[in-house]
């Protein structure tokens, strides 16, 4: 927080909204200047905000009228100078490239080539066989009980037919700062990356693994879709012959800060779950339309897998949940409410195939209430998009109800943005683990409303979320590694920690008022302002970890804000 003028450190598109936040108690005079010192806009920052999330008074300046491409800075009589920033048409091209290339760096089970991965190249990792062990009930930790009675219900009773079997499960992407691989966050990640391609194919097709664009290992398939396919190929491996899908493939515990090829412990397949199976059904059905133009056989494989998974999910106990079996201590990704996963699956399969049964299932679930969410715990928004976009017959009243609900949600998010000194869409109590994911997903929700209405106020609110992530925040940090004038430098990411340099293009989790790791507890006071509960140190996994599904949300938001 060495600056008192906070703005988007990565710059702006010419016609995007541009705002800066001044940390000061009195209204400052300001000048927006070209890099040669010529002032192009002057005034007084007279919009004052008592910002609860950051515990300070700030002033806001709107300089959206400055549209001419060039390099600029803002000066103030009391706040000094801002970082220099650029306005230009393709301002986020390199940022987008790095944010997508991150997924290549997260690849598991193959050699990462030096010409593509640079410092982060490594030989194939986690190539061992995964094993299915008989389920043993663990001693539940306190956070699972959460002060309430908890009864574990498996997806299937007496599900022992596949015990002691093995499966080849190499591939996919390492989930986060660790090397586990999990179906539900994988499904969310793939869905968001595919939506980015659907809404901004021009930008996505500009991505080339070989930066010159002259070499492609994927034939006619765009490199962007080829990267997503790498994750889908792994997901397909985790489906059992009966259609059910294993929840995750991990070692027994998290490893230390070593390179991925050095983790050689046994790989375990955790029990199948309803959430994993429904998420799998939804995202493989969704993927059909993206891959059909390039490989009809692969598209059919995806479609068949989706139908089989959906059939299996219908046979599972709807009251079931997931817990780590005894001996497995990696990420839970447990979600006791699986209604939104089933909601998304029904809508997505109906969009893909048009079967009346899928429509009836979606209508039945929607009759209980319209669901929302772009995160791995709340998947409703994907279902809404699928139902609104299907070419098959729909119920007009239900579509109107979905649209109205989506707009109502966006209006609530926009109201928070307009009242917040940094334009952030989070309420004070929403700065939790992975808060930057919520910022990105809120931006997507706001853009949904812009796409439906054409009302530019929603677009500006979505752009404000991007600016928050890129520097206009109380920490004055660009939360994407390798970008901006003050980027995150020490993320909780094993390869980056081991090699001593942050891989570029990774979105940090961001402020977490819970202070859920020992480092955050020791360095941050208990009463710290929620938006400042951030530690740029490798050990702070609750504020500074990275994850594939945080990056996918950022990629989608960036693709939306860059639409022409």
């Amino acid at each position: 927080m060495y600056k008192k003028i906070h703005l988007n450190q990565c710059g702006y598109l010419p016609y995007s909204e541009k705002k800066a936040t001044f940390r000061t108690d009195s209204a400052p005079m300001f000048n927006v200047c070209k890099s040669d010192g010529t002032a192009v806009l002057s005034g007084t920052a007279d919009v004052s905000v008592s910002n609860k999330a950051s515990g300070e008074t700030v002033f806001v300046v709107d300089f959206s009228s400055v549209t001419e491409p060039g390099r600029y800075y803002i000066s103030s009589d009391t706040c000094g100078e801002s970082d220099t920033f650029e306005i230009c048409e393709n301002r986020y091209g390199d940022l987008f490239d790095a944010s997508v290339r991150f997924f290549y760096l997260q690849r598991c089970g193959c050699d990462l080539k030096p010409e593509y991965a640079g410092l982060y190249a490594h030989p194939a990792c986690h190539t061992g066989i995964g094993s299915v062990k008989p389920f043993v009930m663990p001693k539940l930790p306190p956070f699972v009980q959460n002060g309430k009675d908890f009864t574990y219900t498996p997806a299937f009773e007496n599900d022992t037919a596949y015990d002691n079997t093995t499966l080849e499960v190499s591939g996919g992407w390492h989930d986060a700062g660790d090397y586990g691989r999990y179906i539900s966050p994988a499904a969310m990640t793939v869905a968001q990356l595919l939506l980015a391609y659907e809404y901004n194919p021009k930008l996505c097709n500009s991505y080339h693994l070989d930066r010159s664009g002259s070499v492609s290992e994927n034939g006619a398939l765009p490199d962007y879709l080829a990267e997503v396919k790498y994750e889908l190929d792994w997901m397909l491996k985790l489906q059992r012959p009966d259609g059910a899908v294993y929840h995750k493939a991990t070692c027994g515990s998290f490893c230390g800060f070593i390179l991925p090829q050095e983790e050689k412990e046994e790989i375990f397949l955790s029990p199948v779950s309803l959430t994993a199976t429904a998420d799998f059904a939804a995202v493989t059905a969704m993927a059909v339309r993206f891959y059909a133009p390039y490989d009809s056989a692969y598209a059919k494989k995806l479609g068949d897998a989706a139908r089989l998974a959906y059939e299996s999910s219908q046979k599972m106990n709807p009251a079931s949940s997931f817990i780590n079996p005894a001996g497995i201590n990696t990420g839970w990704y447990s979600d006791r409410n699986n209604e939104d996963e089933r909601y998304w699956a029904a809508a997505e399969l109906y969009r893909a195939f048009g079967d009346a049964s899928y429509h009836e299932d979606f209508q039945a679930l929607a009759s209980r209430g319209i669901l929302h969410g772009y995160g791995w715990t709340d998947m409703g928004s994907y279902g809404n998009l699928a139902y609104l976009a299907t070419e098959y017959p729909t119920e007009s009243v239900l579509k109107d109800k979905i649209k109205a609900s989506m707009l109502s949600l966006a209006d609530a998010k926009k109201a928070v943005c307009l009242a917040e000194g940094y334009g952030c869409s989070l309420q004070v109590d929403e700065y939790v683990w992975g808060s930057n994911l919520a910022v990105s997903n809120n931006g997507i929700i706001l853009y949904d409303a812009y796409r439906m209405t054409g009302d530019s106020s929603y677009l500006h609110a979505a752009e404000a979320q991007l600016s928050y992530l890129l520097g206009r925040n109380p920490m004055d940090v660009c939360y994407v590694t390798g970008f901006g004038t003050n980027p995150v430098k020490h993320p909780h990411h094993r390869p980056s920690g081991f090699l001593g340099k942050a891989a570029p293009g990774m979105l940090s989790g961001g402020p977490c008022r819970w202070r859920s790791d020992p480092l955050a507890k020791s360095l941050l006071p208990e009463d710290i302002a929620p938006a400042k509960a951030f530690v740029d140190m490798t050990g702070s996994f609750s504020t500074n970890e990275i994850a594939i599904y945080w990056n996918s949300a950022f990629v989608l938001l960036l693709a939306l804000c860059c639409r022409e």
Side-chain angles (χ1 to χ4, degrees):
M1 293 182 283
Y2 66 100
K3 294 279 187 178
K4 291 187 176 181
I5 304 175
H6 299 197
L7 44 67
N8 185 333
Q9 298 171 16
C10 294
Y12 302 88
L13 301 175
Y15 295 100
S16 65
E17 182 181 69
K18 308 172 188 72
K19 287 186 178 180
T21 298
F22 292 64
R23 289 193 300 111
T24 180
D25 294 329
S26 57
M29 298 178 64
F30 72 91
N31 293 296
V32 179
C33 303
K34 290 185 176 181
S35 56
D36 63 5
T38 304
V40 297
L41 181 68
S42 301
T44 300
D46 55 1
V47 179
S48 173
V49 179
S50 178
N51 216 59
K52 293 182 180 179
S54 58
E56 60 194 0
T57 297
V58 298
F59 285 79
V60 178
V61 166
D62 188 333
F63 58 102
S64 302
S65 59
V66 180
T67 60
E68 182 181 350
R71 295 181 65 80
Y72 298 85
Y73 65 93
I74 298 176
S75 65
S76 165
D77 57 337
T78 57
C79 295
E81 294 182 355
S82 73
D83 294 315
T84 300
F85 59 90
E86 187 173 2
I87 297 174
C88 69
E89 288 289 351
N90 188 31
R91 190 67 205 95
Y92 303 129
D94 290 343
L95 176 61
F96 182 81
D97 181 273
S99 300
V100 176
R101 189 172 301 275
F102 157 79
F103 294 98
Y104 177 80
L105 299 182
Q106 290 292 103
R107 281 192 182 189
C108 181
C110 72
D111 295 343
L112 295 195
K113 300 180 180 180
E115 59 266 37
Y116 302 147
L119 175 65
Y120 309 96
H122 63 76
C125 59
H126 304 98
T127 55
I129 298 297
S131 59
V132 182
K133 301 297 185 183
F135 179 81
V136 177
M137 188 71 179
K139 180 179 179 181
L140 296 177
F143 75 85
V144 177
Q145 295 284 7
N146 197 27
K148 302 176 182 178
D149 292 335
F150 176 78
T151 302
Y152 170 63
T153 304
F156 296 119
E157 290 296 330
N158 303 313
D159 188 28
T160 60
Y162 297 91
D163 285 356
N164 300 310
T165 59
T166 58
L167 196 62
E168 195 283 301
V169 292
S170 64
W173 298 318
H174 299 137
D175 174 68
D178 64 292
Y179 299 131
R181 289 163 291 161
Y182 309 82
I183 286 292
S184 288
M188 170 194 159
T189 302
V190 169
Q192 290 188 317
L193 293 176
L194 291 178
L195 286 174
Y197 192 89
E198 187 162 63
Y199 294 139
N200 198 339
K202 181 179 178 181
L203 181 63
C204 293
N205 283 331
S206 72
Y207 171 76
H208 299 286
L209 185 57
D210 177 86
R211 286 187 170 90
S212 70
S214 60
V215 178
S216 175
E217 300 178 352
N218 308 304
L221 184 67
D223 282 4
Y224 182 96
L225 290 180
E227 189 59 56
V228 178
K229 182 177 181 293
Y230 192 80
E231 181 78 339
L232 283 166
D233 289 347
W234 169 76
M235 293 178 73
L236 289 168
K237 293 181 179 182
L238 265 68
Q239 185 176 36
R240 299 193 319 197
D242 66 349
V245 179
Y246 292 109
H247 195 78
K248 60 180 179 176
T250 70
C251 297
S253 299
F254 294 121
C255 66
F257 269 66
I258 58 177
L259 292 175
Q261 69 272 20
E262 296 170 356
E263 185 180 47
K264 299 182 183 298
E265 284 73 23
E266 185 177 4
I267 298 171
F268 297 101
L269 294 170
S270 291
V272 299
S273 69
L274 178 49
T275 51
T277 303
D279 284 340
F280 175 97
V283 82
T284 49
M286 179 185 188
V288 169
R289 66 181 184 270
F290 292 89
Y291 293 94
Y294 302 99
D295 187 339
S296 58
Y298 186 68
K300 183 179 185 305
K301 181 178 182 180
L302 290 168
D304 291 345
R307 286 183 179 275
L308 187 61
Y310 191 87
E311 291 171 9
S312 182
S313 72
Q314 295 293 92
K315 300 173 185 175
M316 292 178 173
N317 188 333
S320 63
S321 56
F322 173 83
I323 59 173
N324 271 339
I328 304 295
N329 300 300
T330 49
W332 282 56
Y333 288 107
S334 182
D335 182 359
R336 297 185 197 177
N337 179 8
N338 53 54
E339 192 163 289
D340 52 295
E341 285 83 4
R342 293 184 286 127
Y343 180 97
W344 177 28
E348 207 69 71
L349 269 81
Y350 184 57
R351 180 179 182 182
F353 309 118
D355 294 24
S357 60
Y358 301 141
H359 192 195
E360 291 164 3
D361 289 346
F362 180 75
Q363 288 171 306
L365 289 164
S367 69
R368 304 174 195 170
I370 303 304
L371 303 180
H372 299 282
Y374 281 111
W376 65 267
T377 55
D378 297 293
M379 299 287 207
S381 293
Y382 302 105
N384 294 333
L385 295 184
Y387 191 71
L388 293 179
T390 184
E391 297 178 353
Y392 295 104
T394 54
E395 181 187 341
S396 60
V397 173
L398 177 54
K399 289 180 72 172
D400 289 343
K401 187 176 179 181
I402 290 172
K403 291 177 183 177
S405 187
M406 291 173 68
L407 289 177
S408 178
L409 178 62
D411 285 338
K413 303 296 183 186
K414 185 173 70 169
V416 176
C417 300
L418 294 175
E420 218 274 344
Y422 294 88
C424 183
S425 57
L426 299 183
Q427 302 272 15
V428 173
D429 62 353
E430 293 178 324
Y431 288 86
V432 296
W433 199 322
S435 63
N436 283 342
L437 167 64
V439 173
S440 297
N441 282 343
N442 286 347
I444 298 162
I445 288 167
L446 289 159
Y447 196 93
D448 285 342
Y450 168 65
R451 188 168 54 246
M452 287 191 294
T453 66
D455 182 343
S456 61
S457 66
Y458 295 115
L459 172 61
H460 296 328
E463 292 170 338
Q465 307 320 296
L466 183 64
S467 288
Y468 170 90
L469 296 173
L470 299 180
R472 188 191 166 208
N473 56 65
M475 297 304 297
D476 189 39
V477 64
C478 177
Y479 284 116
V480 179
T481 55
F483 288 85
T485 49
N486 185 31
V488 167
K489 299 180 180 66
H490 306 287
H492 186 86
H493 178 242
R494 279 162 174 73
S496 296
F498 182 88
L499 295 168
K501 184 177 181 180
M506 302 188 296
L507 179 68
S508 168
C512 175
R513 65 184 179 87
W514 299 337
R515 301 176 305 130
S516 300
D517 60 76
L519 192 59
K521 274 187 167 64
S522 68
L523 294 177
L524 301 175
E526 188 174 349
D527 62 349
I528 190 168
K532 294 181 178 178
F534 175 74
V535 181
D536 185 13
M537 297 179 72
T538 303
S540 185
F541 51 81
S542 70
T543 77
N544 205 25
E545 191 168 10
I546 61 87
I548 56 173
Y549 53 98
W550 297 347
N551 251 63
S552 63
F554 178 74
V555 166
L556 176 52
L557 177 61
L558 190 58
L560 293 173
C561 289
C562 290
R563 287 187 73 187
E564 297 177 353

